[in-house]
Amino acid sequence: MIEIISPKQFKTVPWKNGLGETTELAINPGGILDNFDWRLSIANVVEDGLFSNFTGYTRNLILIEGNGINLQHNDSKIDKLSNLLDMATFNGGDKTVGNLHSGDITDFNIITRTKRFNTNVIAKHKLVDYPLEKADLCFVYSLYRDAELIISDTKEVISLPAGHLLKIQPICQTQNNIFASLTGTHLIVVYLYQQ
């Protein structure tokens, strides 16, 4: 099943800690703010502060706008996100504090229940004829320009408008082992594998 989720379908929801809002792009059926298996969202960070506690979850955070942020986990390890599409992967139960480099930032978030899903996230400035991997769920998000997905068997071309979310469930192996190929710029590709 291939679905394109438009910004009109996105939802604005409060942060779990109540200190801001996030734009929820997609969440598993039946999922809610504090009980879900996977969720994709975009959030603006306007000041330094403590991130919401997501114990039992794995977080992937990608910088998609702004001058950068440092994420300090448990008062020790620091992830420095300075450039567009820089990414950090961390335990949602860690005490994580965000410190902005200079001004607001916007980030793209993938949060998954650690015991139920493994995640592989790819953030690239350019992909050309990139073959999608086998997965239980795949999402593609393009920041600025339309991207193209070409289905290998039928040669059908699916256009993904910038700012929309492409959802594919599942990606199965085909005879040539390539379901589809992706071409575009400033892309985020998310693979979810059910355990």
Side-chain angles (χ1 to χ4, degrees), residues 51 58-63 69-73 77-83 85-91 96 107-110 121 123:
F51 274 46
T58 300
R59 298 190 65 166
N60 290 271
L61 187 147
I62 303 165
L63 181 67
I69 187 170
N70 286 358
L71 304 176
Q72 184 167 16
H73 312 289
K77 179 191 173 191
I78 297 178
D79 286 312
K80 296 180 180 180
L81 308 184
S82 302
N83 302 304
L85 297 181
D86 280 356
M87 179 170 57
T89 301
F90 55 97
N91 186 325
T96 297
D107 55 45
F108 189 100
N109 298 274
I110 304 100
V121 181

Side-chain angles (χ1 to χ4, degrees), residues 105-178:
I105 64 108
T106 304
D107 55 45
F108 189 100
N109 298 274
I110 304 100
I111 307 178
T112 52
R113 194 184 298 272
T114 308
K115 290 184 177 179
R116 293 195 181 170
F117 284 91
N118 291 323
T119 311
N120 180 24
V121 181
I122 296 167
K124 294 289 185 182
H125 290 272
K126 186 175 183 179
L127 290 172
V128 178
D129 295 330
Y130 166 75
L132 293 182
E133 300 174 10
K134 180 179 179 182
D136 294 301
L137 262 171
C138 176
F139 295 94
V140 181
Y141 186 84
S142 180
L143 294 184
Y144 308 124
R145 296 182 179 176
D146 296 359
E148 279 192 350
L149 186 75
I150 300 177
I151 308 301
S152 298
D153 287 348
T154 64
K155 305 304 179 190
E156 177 187 1
V157 177
I158 296 173
S159 179
L160 173 63
H164 291 57
L165 184 69
L166 176 69
K167 178 183 177 184
I168 307 172
Q169 181 181 11
I171 295 180
C172 301
Q173 293 286 7
T174 60
Q175 287 183 348
N176 60 5
N177 290 330
I178 299 175

